[in-house]
Amino acid sequence: MSDNSRIEWTDATWNPVTGCSKVSEGCRNCYAERVSHCSGTTSKPWTYANAAKNVKLHPERLDQPIRWRRPRRIFVNSMSDLFHEQVPDSFLDDVFGIMLACEIYDNRNHTFQILTKRPERMKAYLSAEPAVLVKRWARAANGIAHCMDEDTLVSDLVYGRCARLWSAEGRALSDHKAWSHCESVFPLPNVWLGVSAENQRAAEERVPFLLQTPAAVRFLSCEPLLGSLDLGKWIGTYYCSACGFRGFDGGEADPENEESGDQCPRCGADGWYFTHAESHGALDEETRSPISWIVAGGESGPNARPMHPDWVRSSRDQCAEAGVPFLFKQWGEWFPRDQWKHNPDLILPDDDAAYRETSRTHLFEDMSGSFPVHRVGKKAAGRVLDGRTWNEMPAVTR
């Protein structure tokens, strides 16, 4: 775990679990595996066959966020996947219990960012009855949140909040009814849920599960970006010209065809219209894009694969059209020649073909011909895209 993280989209990392196993192309050059081997945390390749030995629970780390008093954005499990098959539900309860405790106590206003490549398990875990989940989390936190400098149990505080909401409606109080009135803490307002989407195939497999999972904020991490992504079915909203209703269509309408013939769910009229960025300012909680944030970036490390700038431009432009915040994390090891004017201190080769002999130039072949990218290293490549640092974040109020 680390405070003052160098990851561009977070402030700190918290690793109650370490170790993982690879599931897709985005995992091929996993930095966490590389770090774990260098540190001696694990010694075997991160495969399913070795998962039982590589994936380790660290209950001694559970209370770390409670000890941090200054509010932080905290990346949960930068060195693992919280929803790995080797992590039991009881330990997930402990982790969510700590996040619940930080929400309940006013002086621990952290935001937790959870990123997974296993959204099917995330959905299954978080689709249980909210009252049951919240009660489990609160009771799990009782035995961990002992350094809150408070005498009251987490479960008592959560129960009290639920009971007040129930009583405010003038109804008779009962234990079951009070716990079921937990909408102020479920889904947890301080928890963002995201999935990795390194290419279109991964996005098609994972995003639907994310959209079906209760969450205060949903996001995509498109890193390492290995190809162009079509995000249109998951970001943005649609507009009915007949009744003025705005809402998310769930991907049934075609944003490229304004006369798609899809029917408005409110009035039944034909013809959804895709809304552009200027239409999004007035959208309320129910009608704004279900994906609140996109992070994209190239790959780093010794075996990093190059990223074409048009891939990341496409994601940026789709976000701009849909009014979704976009953060460009890094170019990674490879830097495109067309960005050199924004980073003129870099020394690029005069002869791309000759430089390619040293394996430090990669030529993308596209409709415009050969497009060179040069291996200059992550630090030198930086994170400026088309003359701008893209640092947009979701506007979240709690």
Side-chain angles (χ1 to χ4, degrees):
M1 72 191 68
S2 173
D3 200 2
N4 300 313
S5 172
R6 292 185 293 178
I7 299 174
E8 289 78 359
W9 48 268
T10 198
D11 301 318
T13 57
W14 173 41
N15 285 286
V17 182
T18 56
C20 199
S21 51
K22 299 177 180 180
V23 295
S24 66
E25 269 302 298
C27 302
R28 182 193 294 183
N29 300 318
C30 179
Y31 81 93
E33 180 186 27
R34 189 168 65 250
V35 170
S36 73
H37 290 340
C38 291
S39 65
T41 306
T42 60
S43 58
K44 296 182 178 295
W46 282 15
T47 63
Y48 270 109
N50 297 325
K53 293 183 178 179
N54 285 336
V55 178
K56 300 176 182 178
L57 310 183
H58 300 276
E60 73 280 1
R61 299 179 181 179
L62 284 169
D63 65 358
Q64 181 63 53
I66 298 172
R67 300 180 184 277
W68 289 331
R69 291 183 176 270
R70 175 177 56 81
R72 294 160 170 79
R73 290 190 301 266
I74 301 173
F75 179 14
V76 182
N77 276 1
S78 62
M79 296 295 293
S80 182
D81 190 324
L82 182 63
F83 293 99
H84 194 282
E85 298 80 0
Q86 293 291 326
V87 181
D89 280 2
S90 59
F91 198 76
L92 292 178
D93 290 348
D94 292 339
V95 173
F96 275 84
I98 290 298
M99 296 188 293
L100 171 62
C102 289
E103 172 62 24
I104 287 294
Y105 286 92
D106 292 336
N107 59 347
R108 302 297 195 282
N109 293 321
H110 302 318
T111 296
F112 296 89
Q113 301 159 308
I114 300 176
L115 185 60
T116 185
K117 289 185 174 70
R118 294 165 172 82
E120 62 279 8
R121 186 177 180 212
M122 178 174 69
K123 176 198 169 188
Y125 174 76
L126 290 170
S127 295
E129 183 183 348
V132 172
L133 280 175
V134 171
K135 186 183 291 189
R136 277 172 27 198
W137 298 343
R139 291 177 174 174
N142 284 341
I144 304 169
H146 51 74
C147 58
M148 282 286 198
D149 300 327
E150 298 281 352
D151 296 328
T152 308
L153 292 175
V154 175
S155 59
D156 290 343
L157 290 173
V158 177
Y159 176 83
R161 182 187 289 188
C162 296
R164 284 193 299 273
L165 289 172
W166 178 255
S167 300
E169 296 186 358
R171 306 185 185 186
L173 180 63
S174 69
D175 182 77
H176 175 74
K177 292 296 184 182
W179 279 108
S180 66
H181 216 72
C182 60
E183 59 267 24
S184 68
V185 291
F186 188 89
L188 284 175
N190 61 341
V191 176
W192 301 0
L193 300 180
V195 298
S196 299
E198 66 268 28
N199 53 31
Q200 193 68 31
R201 177 179 177 179
E204 297 284 352
E205 292 174 351
R206 295 169 185 159
V207 175
F209 285 107
L210 175 63
L211 295 181
Q212 297 165 27
T213 304
V217 171
R218 300 182 185 91
F219 70 99
L220 305 184
S221 174
C222 309
E223 183 197 10
L225 188 56
L226 303 178
S228 184
L229 292 174
D230 180 1
L231 303 170
K233 66 175 69 176
W234 304 305
I235 65 175
T237 61
Y238 291 82
Y239 171 73
C240 176
S241 58
C243 70
F245 175 70
R246 290 186 175 94
F248 176 65
D249 183 69
E252 297 301 323
D254 180 3
E256 299 299 326
N257 180 9
E258 293 185 344
E259 301 299 332
S260 59
D262 294 286
Q263 293 184 334
C264 171
R266 173 176 289 176
C267 72
D270 290 339
W272 274 110
Y273 286 77
F274 186 69
T275 65
H276 296 278
E278 62 269 16
S279 302
H280 287 243
L283 298 184
D284 58 26
E285 190 69 37
E286 294 183 354
T287 58
R288 71 164 58 107
S289 171
I291 301 297
S292 302
W293 189 35
I294 304 290
V295 176
E299 191 169 38
S300 57
N303 299 310
R305 291 158 285 185
M307 176 180 66
H308 197 296
D310 285 350
W311 300 346
V312 71
R313 282 195 188 104
S314 174
S315 295
R316 176 202 62 191
D317 293 346
Q318 290 177 74
C319 287
E321 183 176 350
V324 173
F326 174 79
L327 186 146
F328 180 51
K329 182 174 179 287
Q330 62 182 28
W331 283 110
E333 299 292 328
W334 297 83
F335 188 73
R337 178 173 281 278
D338 78 337
Q339 296 291 307
W340 178 79
K341 60 186 175 184
H342 304 303
N343 196 350
D345 292 335
L346 279 177
I347 300 175
L348 298 182
D350 294 327
D351 187 339
D352 294 333
Y355 199 54
R356 195 179 186 190
E357 297 293 326
T358 66
S359 299
R360 297 187 68 84
T361 292
H362 175 86
L363 297 179
F364 283 104
E365 300 293 339
D366 52 30
M367 295 182 65
S368 61
S370 295
F371 186 92
V373 292
H374 305 287
R375 184 159 197 152
V376 299
K378 174 184 173 180
K379 183 176 181 180
R383 53 191 297 256
V384 174
L385 170 62
D386 293 337
R388 174 180 165 183
T389 300
W390 298 82
N391 260 339
E392 298 172 350
M393 301 287 291
V396 179
T397 57
R398 302 205 331 255

